Amino acid sequence: MNILVIGSGGREHSLVWKIAQSDLTDSLYVAPGNGGMGELAICVELNISDHDDVVKFCIDKNINFVVIGPEAPLVDGLSDRLIKENITTFGPSSAAAILEGSKGFTKDLCAKYNIPTAAYGRFKDASAAKKFVAEKGTPIVIKADGLAAGKGVIIAENMDQANEAIDDILGGQFGEAGAELVVEEFLLGEEASFFVLTDGENILPFGTAQDHKRVGEGDTGPNTGGMGAYSPAPVMDKAMIDRTINEIIMPTVKGMKAEGRPFKGVLFAGLMITNKGPELIEYNVRFGDPECQTLMMRLQSDIVPALMACANGNIDKVGVSWTDDVALSVVMAANGYPGNYEKNSEIKNLDQAGAADNIIIFHAGTKKRDSTILSVGGRVLNITARASSVKEAQNNAYEALDKINWPQGFCRRDIGWRAVEREEN
Ligand code: AMP
Ligand code: GLY
């Protein structure tokens, strides 16, 4: 089978790495790809927002299966278009991708189908939003409704911050994504990510993870796309997974079907494990990045049949197996990220750093020029380790990372701290 993966991040590198191992894979392409994928797949310069171009490429290369990594092309309808052209595609329709594309839609769905989530209000008008905040008190969470690259959520500690966030969002800070906002109650607890593959009807649980969203050690400083992750999430034991499936996931899958928006793909639930149980913070309609890298390190089965089953409606016929090992991934980012950062610095010694069996260095914002790897993004490398404990995976990841010679990059030194503490107690 000829397969095309859409995307260029560490998530897509790990998907390509896993898909390349499948016996079902003949030719493997990635658009646009990055500096780390060239040995696994053919990187192609496609403008993925030009759907005609993507279709033309698929027809030219006789592509049988397309795997869409990021959310933007899904919300944009790339999956719908490819399916219309009879190309099997992993990734939900635009109508279903609204679960990530509109936070207000998801909150209303939760209300309608009795899915536990923070109490909320939806607003287009600043004074009504401010009145709601004044009634609810702080801390409170203010969110732009649409896609804002992970930056559209403000946790306001006091009224001034809340009012400022409301004015900023409705004032156009996030463009169209902020034409409407959601104000919601602040939930207290431990965050975890839960993934399921679904064909719109049935589900296949696909692992748990925890990530570190803040840029600074001790989970401080501004939010990022994620500075590191590990899988599984110790807080997601069997009982918590069962509750999450029964109380959150299945009502969503059934609800989306009933709404005429069947969801086919990977459903990524961002959860807060509160003292009442799991509550939904948000849905993403794609794999997490860097959570995906840790899932791919732990997945033993062929991933291709599982991804295809989401499209083909037979996820109930697919089983997957996982290693009992833990996987942990540390992000190296360009100095300055998530603010301004320099591009085009050279990264050296990657081969030696990634030489051990239990280490894979997934690339994110890199490009290859001749035999040189250059940084071209904010999050640049994902040093991913597998071991029998979080502590050991953490040690192995940092040992590998310290061999990389890239003075223009930095990382957090405490990825996995909460799980390590739990192991030690
Ligand atoms: P989101 O993009 O909706 O996942 O929000 C980004 C981050 O903000 C989450 O990972 C949480 O850390 C935090 N957050 C979002 N909503 C809430 C909430 N209702 N209560 C507490 N923290 C939240
Ligand atoms: N790491 C969080 C996300 O992918 O949304």
Side-chain angles (χ1 to χ4, degrees), residues 3 5 10-25 28 37 40-41 67 206 287 292-307 320-323 360 362 386:
I3 302 179
V5 175
R11 167 181 50 212
E12 287 78 22
H13 188 179
S14 71
L15 289 168
V16 161
W17 174 73
K18 199 63 199 159
I19 292 168
Q21 293 166 27
S22 172
D23 289 340
L24 298 169
T25 305
L28 179 56
M37 303 188 197
L40 301 166
V67 176
F206 210 66
F287 284 109
C292 186
Q293 292 83 312
T294 63
L295 296 178
M296 293 306 113
M297 276 297 258
R298 294 187 51 241
L299 180 64
Q300 285 178 316
S301 329
D302 187 345
I303 193 174
V304 173
L307 298 181
V320 282
S321 62
W322 304 87
T323 151
I360 304 279
F362 294 116
R386 193 177 54 221

Side-chain angles (χ1 to χ4, degrees), residues 75 97-109 120-124 141-154 165-166 168-170 173-184 281-284:
V75 171
I98 193 172
L99 276 180
E100 180 164 358
S102 167
K103 293 186 188 291
F105 171 89
T106 298
K107 297 299 283 189
D108 287 350
L109 187 91
Y120 73 106
R122 292 179 77 169
F123 302 96
K124 285 184 178 153
V141 187
I142 319 285
K143 301 183 173 184
D145 183 72
L147 294 184
K151 301 197 176 80
V153 174
I154 294 99
I166 291 167
D168 285 350
I169 294 175
L170 292 177
Q173 190 186 6
F174 302 106
E176 262 306 290
E180 185 175 340
L181 56 75
V182 170
V183 180
E184 65 178 47
I281 298 177
E282 63 160 358
Y283 274 126
N284 296 306

Side-chain angles (χ1 to χ4, degrees), residues 71 74-75 92-110 113 115 144-147 196 198 248-249 251-257 259 261-270 280-286:
E71 62 278 16
L74 295 167
V75 171
S93 66
S94 167
I98 193 172
L99 276 180
E100 180 164 358
S102 167
K103 293 186 188 291
F105 171 89
T106 298
K107 297 299 283 189
D108 287 350
L109 187 91
C110 289
Y113 295 95
I115 296 165
D145 183 72
L147 294 184
V196 301
T198 171
I248 297 179
I249 302 294
T252 301
V253 170
K254 288 188 181 142
M256 289 297 279
K257 190 178 170 205
E259 297 295 313
R261 299 171 184 267
F263 186 95
K264 303 176 187 188
V266 59
L267 191 54
F268 161 4
L280 183 74
I281 298 177
E282 63 160 358
Y283 274 126
N284 296 306
V285 300
R286 37 130 187 124

